[in-house]
Amino acid sequence: MSEKNILAYFKSPEEAEGVAKKLQTLRVVDMSIDRFSRYPGTGLYGSVLPFAGDMVSLSAATFGTSLSGESSAILAAADPSSSGMSDGGQGGPTGRDILLTIVVEEDSFERAMRIVEDAGGMV
């Protein structure tokens, strides 16, 4: 039997977890919940106090926080909005930054889609 996948976006991990529990009644092959951001890495950590000499990078100065990965900090510093000459015009992911990835058997696909959409997931 073939499989189908669903990528559903939610506003909070709790919303996605609620849908994941409901989907357990179906023939789910694989499922995961992840948060994504504009920059790769494990995310942000700590607040930065530039007047206290706590500024470690350009991205720390412009975004008000330090990024946990070196690659992420480099990408953030290279962003057009970091220079102050542009807002970048694209913005980051806002609102729906939780991704529920579902792989189901083909005969359960329509029901899984209904469960996701009824719970407010964006497919």
Side-chain angles (χ1 to χ4, degrees), residues 40-97:
T42 57
L44 305 172
Y45 67 88
S47 60
V48 176
L49 305 170
F51 299 113
D54 193 24
M55 188 178 75
V56 294
S57 68
L58 176 61
S59 61
T62 56
F63 294 110
T65 187
S66 295
L67 293 159
S68 62
E70 184 179 330
S71 298
S72 300
I74 291 169
L75 281 172
D79 191 282
S81 61
S82 292
S83 68
M85 300 300 288
S86 169
D87 69 356
Q90 296 143 350
T94 56
R96 297 182 186 268
D97 61 343

Side-chain angles (χ1 to χ4, degrees), residues 2-118:
S2 64
E3 301 168 347
K4 287 196 164 198
N5 63 356
I6 301 170
L7 299 176
Y9 301 89
F10 292 90
K11 295 179 181 177
S12 73
E14 294 79 20
E15 286 180 2
E17 289 166 5
V19 171
K21 286 179 185 175
K22 290 178 184 177
L23 290 170
Q24 291 300 327
T25 62
L26 302 178
R27 294 170 52 184
V28 175
V29 176
D30 193 19
M31 186 167 23
S32 68
I33 299 173
D34 299 293
R35 172 168 268 147
F36 62 92
S37 70
R38 187 173 184 175
Y39 304 108
T42 57
L44 305 172
Y45 67 88
S47 60
V48 176
L49 305 170
F51 299 113
D54 193 24
M55 188 178 75
V56 294
S57 68
L58 176 61
S59 61
T62 56
F63 294 110
T65 187
S66 295
L67 293 159
S68 62
E70 184 179 330
S71 298
S72 300
I74 291 169
L75 281 172
D79 191 282
S81 61
S82 292
S83 68
M85 300 300 288
S86 169
D87 69 356
Q90 296 143 350
T94 56
R96 297 182 186 268
D97 61 343
I98 305 298
L99 175 63
L100 174 61
T101 305
I102 311 152
V103 180
V104 295
E105 295 291 340
E106 189 172 18
D107 60 343
S108 299
F109 179 74
E110 293 299 324
R111 181 148 162 73
M113 284 290 288
R114 245 181 281 120
I115 291 171
V116 168
E117 290 171 348
D118 289 347

